Amino acid sequence: MPTNITLVRGDITEQDVDAVVNAANSSLLGGGGVDGAIHRKGGPDILAECRELRAGHYGKGLPTGQAVATTAGRLPARWVIHTVGPVHRSSGGDPSLLASCYRESLRVADELGARTVAFPAVSTGAYGWPLEDAARIAVEAVRETDTDVEEVRFVLFGEDAYQAFAAHVG
């Protein structure tokens, strides 16, 4: 379990942490929301490494609930950990898939030696996961994961997301 869970209202691309988590799509080739912002601000090195991953082990894309790391390019972080959240409607709202995004991202962070990790609210944007439920699942998954990460920082874009997570971090 991380020693410290913190909440920040802001932009994940500006976080000075060891690793930022990208709410990626399975293609790993960029998209909208958090994914697009990370690729735009991080620059072409992130996309180049994602293309290498697609050319190798992840030829069919990164499966939902899994995580993989690349450089962070021009971001202040050292690494980007890409995870594919479930689409709420097509996953049937399976909380284990969403929890897996957080657990697997922390596992990758441990492999990298990352001690500070910033997470967005995975699957709550275009993927339609209800915010309150997503916040509960995220905080529980992080608290229940055995990890060497010292700080998990939830970086939340809006006030509604911040309040939803605050209700569970307590």
Side-chain angles (χ1 to χ4, degrees):
M1 171 170 146
T3 18
N4 200 11
I5 296 175
T6 59
L7 303 177
V8 173
R9 200 169 70 214
D11 181 346
I12 199 161
T13 67
E14 296 175 357
Q15 301 304 304
D16 188 6
V17 291
D18 293 331
V20 296
V21 175
N22 180 18
N25 62 54
S26 64
S27 78
L28 295 174
L29 302 179
V34 169
D35 193 18
I38 285 174
H39 276 272
R40 279 190 305 278
K41 193 159 184 184
D45 292 347
I46 297 171
L47 182 58
E49 282 194 32
C50 285
R51 284 190 172 131
E52 288 176 22
L53 289 167
R54 286 300 306 273
H57 186 71
Y58 297 103
K60 294 182 180 177
L62 184 64
T64 300
Q66 297 301 303
V68 66
T70 65
T71 180
R74 296 189 300 250
L75 297 176
R78 293 179 62 192
W79 300 287
V80 174
I81 298 172
H82 307 267
T83 191
V84 180
V87 176
H88 189 261
R89 286 174 302 286
S90 62
S91 72
D94 182 352
S96 69
L97 287 173
L98 184 54
S100 180
C101 293
Y102 293 93
R103 283 193 309 273
E104 287 298 305
S105 294
L106 290 171
R107 180 189 58 76
V108 170
D110 283 342
E111 289 175 359
L112 296 168
R115 294 296 172 254
T116 54
V117 178
F119 280 97
V122 176
S123 286
T124 62
Y127 285 12
W129 205 283
L131 193 51
E132 292 292 331
D133 194 41
R136 177 188 58 76
I137 293 165
V139 172
E140 284 177 6
V142 165
R143 283 192 172 138
E144 292 170 359
T145 300
D146 184 22
T147 179
D148 292 327
V149 171
E150 295 167 4
E151 180 193 1
V152 166
R153 184 181 306 170
F154 288 108
V155 182
L156 307 155
F157 192 71
E159 184 63 23
D160 288 347
Y162 185 90
Q163 292 303 325
F165 276 75
H168 295 282
V169 169

